[in-house]
């Protein structure tokens, strides 16, 4: 959130020039090799009809890379070494949840299910019926999932279902694209992307501004000692810093694989001034895809 000082490696602004188009395609190695070995050695690429999960998986690894220097890149909350009872709300494919209960090298995709990890399929907006309170509740990438009232009710249930002294942690990406050196042309599709989708989502009654609004709602639910860290997440391989360059490459994959899934439903249902046709969306996405690869721009989003 805006009042939080931005704790960013100064190298964020150092450009990794010259770099080539292949940098966008690189699957990355080095700092996150442990994470990536899991991804590459087990060698499963999601099938093409599973593009959205591929995007979520890329975003999962982006988060790990951004926090690779943390004692445990899966979370920032000081939950200690042995939290007993953890809930990951809206877990998706479950990479976070599967990795979380165990110590040791992280890998994704995960091929082994720890016996102490249980998946439950239910609507988290319904009244929770778990009897045992949690030590830690984690939420990530749930922007657009709930109405404003829905979010407030969800945080209230989190509060009521945590042990006193327990922690909630949330990580969200903001959808707006920025550059600090005017390398993002103001008339580009990418520069307008955030506002286009924030508008669609408002009309759909499911705001995409969760990254900005979550703190206020979490505090209103009764939580105290709220800490916030703001990340600038590069899109593309342009930073000189090794970790940020990897984050940028992965974030490029996140965008490239997720674009259509993120855009098609919202634009064809809630596009302005009228819902878009599928063809119009495809033309727009082709433009965005091409712009994402422009080596001249140094773009990022907040998380
Ligand atoms: C974008 S995915 C994020 C997955 C995961 N948290 C991650 O960071 O990779 C959103 C997830 O929220 C889940 N979700 C959305 N609305 C939900 C609801 N009302 N109850 C339970 N899960 C929900 C979806 O099923 C999906 O798995």
């Amino acid at each position: 959130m805006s009042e939080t000082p931005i704790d960013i490696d100064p190298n964020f602004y150092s450009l990794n020039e010259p770099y080539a188009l292949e940098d966008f395609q690189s699957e990355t190695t080095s700092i996150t090799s442990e994470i990536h070995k899991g991804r590459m050695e087990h060698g499963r690429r999601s099938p093409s009809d599973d593009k959205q999960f591929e995007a979520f998986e890329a975003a999962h690894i982006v988060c790990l890379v951004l926090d690779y220097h943390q004692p445990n890149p899966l979370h920032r909350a000081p939950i200690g070494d042995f939290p007993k009872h953890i809930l990951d709300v809206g877990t998706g494919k479950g990479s976070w949840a599967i990795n979380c209960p165990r110590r040791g090298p992280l890998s994704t995709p995960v091929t082994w299910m720890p016996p102490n990890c249980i998946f439950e399929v239910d609507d988290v907006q319904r009244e929770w019926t778990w009897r045992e309170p949690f030590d830690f509740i984690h939420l990530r990438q749930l922007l657009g999932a709930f109405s404003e009232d829905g979010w407030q009710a969800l945080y209230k249930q989190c509060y009521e279902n945590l042990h006193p002294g327990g922690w909630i942690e949330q990580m969200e990406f903001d959808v707006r694209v920025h550059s600090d050196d005017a390398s993002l042309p103001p008339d580009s599709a990418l520069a307008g992307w955030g506002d286009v989708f924030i508008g669609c989502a408002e009309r759909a009654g499911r705001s995409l501004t969760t990254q900005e609004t979550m703190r206020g709602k979490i505090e209103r639910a009764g939580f105290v000692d709220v800490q916030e860290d703001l990340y600038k997440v590069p899109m593309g391989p342009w930073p000189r810093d090794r970790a940020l360059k990897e984050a940028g490459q992965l974030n490029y994959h996140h965008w490239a694989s997720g674009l259509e899934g993120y855009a098609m439903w919202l634009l064809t249902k809630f596009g302005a001034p009228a819902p878009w046709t599928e063809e119009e969306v495809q033309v727009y996405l082709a433009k965005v895809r091409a712009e994402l690869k422009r080596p001249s721009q140094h773009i990022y989003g907040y998380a």
Side-chain angles (χ1 to χ4, degrees):
M1 288 188 44
S2 43
E3 70 263 27
T4 311
I6 300 174
D7 180 18
I8 286 284
D9 187 314
N11 282 334
F12 189 91
Y13 297 98
S14 314
L15 310 183
N16 172 51
E17 310 239 56
Y19 59 89
L21 266 188
E22 302 85 75
D23 282 355
F24 283 92
Q25 274 113 37
S26 157
E27 286 282 0
T28 79
T29 49
S30 61
I31 287 172
T32 50
S33 56
E34 302 233 314
I35 297 164
H36 264 276
K37 262 189 231 150
R39 181 175 174 81
M40 299 319 293
E41 282 173 10
H42 299 298
R44 282 207 322 240
R45 282 193 66 80
S46 310
S48 55
D49 62 348
D50 208 3
K51 275 265 172 209
Q52 220 53 28
F53 275 124
E54 190 176 333
F56 301 155
E57 201 61 15
H60 169 63
I61 312 174
V62 170
C63 295
L64 299 183
V65 174
L66 290 173
D67 273 340
Y68 81 95
H69 53 290
Q70 296 293 334
N72 185 339
L74 288 165
H75 59 82
R76 302 291 301 271
I79 56 173
D81 279 342
F82 303 104
K84 246 176 71 191
H85 206 188
I86 301 173
L87 174 67
D88 184 30
V89 173
T91 196
K93 228 174 174 172
S95 295
W96 187 92
I98 293 166
N99 268 304
C100 198
R102 64 202 180 93
R103 300 278 145 190
L106 301 169
S107 73
T108 183
V110 179
T111 51
W112 174 75
M113 176 70 73
N116 56 347
C117 183
I118 299 164
F119 281 80
E120 289 189 30
V121 180
D122 207 338
D123 181 356
V124 77
Q125 300 220 268
R126 292 171 50 188
E127 197 183 334
W128 296 6
T129 51
W130 291 295
R131 293 210 191 106
E132 174 105 359
F134 295 98
D135 301 300
F136 182 35
I137 298 180
H138 176 261
L139 310 96
R140 193 182 63 187
Q141 277 248 74
L142 297 181
L143 69 169
F146 311 115
S147 68
E148 297 307 284
D149 289 349
W151 273 114
Q152 202 58 65
L154 176 60
Y155 292 131
K156 187 163 174 279
Q157 295 223 69
C158 290
Y159 187 83
E160 287 166 355
N161 283 271
L162 275 164
H163 275 300
W167 290 87
I168 183 172
E169 178 167 329
Q170 182 162 10
M171 168 96 174
E172 296 293 345
F173 290 95
D174 189 84
V175 294
R176 286 161 279 207
V177 183
H178 307 270
S179 74
D180 289 340
D181 58 1
S183 60
L184 175 66
D187 58 349
S188 60
L190 270 175
W193 174 273
D195 288 341
V196 166
F197 286 97
I198 286 171
C200 289
E202 293 303 332
R203 290 185 285 279
R206 297 275 191 276
S207 172
L208 288 180
T209 59
T210 309
Q211 186 267 335
E212 273 182 350
T213 57
M214 59 188 177
R215 181 190 187 132
K217 290 196 176 69
I218 286 172
E219 287 175 335
R220 274 197 291 286
F223 288 98
V224 293
D225 192 13
V226 178
Q227 319 275 329
E228 191 166 4
D229 290 294
L230 190 65
Y231 298 76
K232 283 179 169 182
V233 192
M235 297 172 187
W238 57 266
R240 193 201 311 266
D241 174 85
R242 234 161 35 125
L244 290 172
K245 180 183 169 78
E246 288 200 26
Q249 286 169 320
L250 288 158
N251 198 25
Y252 167 77
H253 287 290
H254 167 221
W255 273 69
S257 51
L259 279 179
E260 188 167 334
Y262 292 137
M264 189 58 81
W265 186 81
L266 275 172
L267 286 173
T268 55
K269 297 268 186 269
F270 298 100
W276 298 20
T277 64
E278 199 179 322
E279 293 69 32
E280 285 170 331
V281 178
Q282 293 296 3
V283 170
Y284 176 64
L285 292 181
K287 191 161 187 265
V288 172
R289 274 191 202 98
E291 288 183 9
L292 270 177
K293 283 192 168 191
R294 261 196 313 229
S296 57
Q297 69 197 0
H298 314 118
I299 54 174
Y300 65 88
Y302 286 107

